[in-house]
Amino acid sequence: MERTAIVNRSTKETVISIELNLDGSGRAAVNTGIGFFDHMLESFARHGFFDLQVTVNGDLDVDTHHTVEDTGIVLGKAISQALGDKRSIRRYGSVMLPMDEALVLCALDLSGRPYLVYDASLAVERIGAFETQMVKEFFYAVTVSAGMNLHIKQIHGDNAHHIVEAMFKAFAKSLDQAVSLDGRIKDVLSTKGAL
Ligand SMILES: [Mn+2]
């Protein structure tokens, strides 16, 4: 069974198309119109071994808000759709990811219950054209639309590029673990019988 999804979303603010393969090789083709955001989504694909195509046409003449938030909504939906009934997945994933002076903890549970805990302080307003306030908004959007519980905590870090990149890589590696299959899990990993 292929764990893939294609999700399209179109509003007056953004037009977004995402193709995701959870069992890919890390290939990415990303064009959001925001260079740093492209770099983050490419890192996410590479380090999670996901194949990811993202095309976004957003209202960047306003700011980066709608483009980043809506991409999060569509990515979350693609993750949920590709996972299907979540049969045999490990469900949990976590990692402590260093990038030079930055250290980020990420832990997630594909529980079906959206909850984000985000604890980081980024000293700059922007990285390139990307507004650093949007990091939390992005992860919140993914969390809600994928139905996951996500914790992201900055342990150390000074450089905003390093901190945010460590977050995206940590998220990728945690998600890669959580979606991986365990042959011992015959149905879904829950005493309730559903995730
Ligand atoms: Mn970088």
Side-chain angles (χ1 to χ4, degrees):
M1 196 196 71
E2 288 219 325
R3 299 195 300 170
T4 61
I6 299 175
V7 183
N8 297 298
R9 182 180 189 270
S10 180
T11 71
K12 285 178 182 168
E13 294 169 347
T14 59
V15 178
I16 300 175
S17 173
I18 290 186
E19 282 188 51
L20 174 69
N21 180 0
L22 292 175
D23 303 301
S25 58
R27 267 179 315 187
V30 178
N31 190 354
T32 66
I34 307 165
F36 181 74
F37 192 35
D38 290 355
H39 176 36
M40 292 303 98
L41 293 172
E42 284 162 7
S43 287
F44 166 75
R46 184 80 185 88
H47 291 276
F49 298 94
F50 309 124
D51 289 342
L52 180 68
Q53 273 189 53
V54 180
T55 309
V56 185
N57 200 335
D59 57 356
L60 293 175
D61 53 315
V62 177
D63 61 13
T64 65
H65 197 112
H66 303 137
T67 298
V68 176
E69 182 178 39
D70 294 359
T71 301
I73 291 170
V74 179
L75 180 62
K77 207 170 171 195
I79 292 167
S80 166
Q81 205 171 295
L83 274 173
D85 62 7
K86 301 180 183 171
R87 182 175 295 268
S88 298
I89 64 164
R90 289 200 164 86
R91 177 181 167 177
Y92 297 96
S94 63
V95 71
M96 188 82 88
L97 195 133
M99 184 163 181
D100 298 344
E101 90 298 344
L103 182 65
V104 167
L105 174 155
C106 177
L108 64 84
D109 175 11
L110 297 169
S111 60
R113 298 188 308 277
Y115 203 105
L116 173 70
V117 178
Y118 175 92
D119 180 10
S121 63
L122 300 165
V124 298
E125 232 175 88
R126 277 190 180 70
I127 306 167
F130 181 88
E131 289 153 294
T132 51
Q133 274 195 326
M134 292 313 300
V135 180
K136 183 180 180 183
E137 299 303 313
F138 171 79
F139 284 118
Y140 180 76
V142 173
T143 298
V144 170
S145 69
M148 68 170 70
N149 176 200
L150 176 63
H151 288 250
I152 293 180
K153 184 175 174 60
Q154 173 193 345
I155 310 291
H156 293 299
D158 294 316
N159 183 280
H161 187 125
H162 288 163
I163 297 164
V164 176
E165 188 164 336
M167 284 182 194
F168 275 82
K169 288 176 174 173
F171 176 57
K173 299 210 76 65
S174 301
L175 186 63
D176 182 38
Q177 256 178 50
V179 304
S180 68
L181 303 171
D182 183 331
R184 295 172 299 177
I185 307 165
K186 303 300 178 198
D187 46 6
V188 292
L189 189 58
S190 166
T191 52
K192 278 188 301 201
L195 283 175

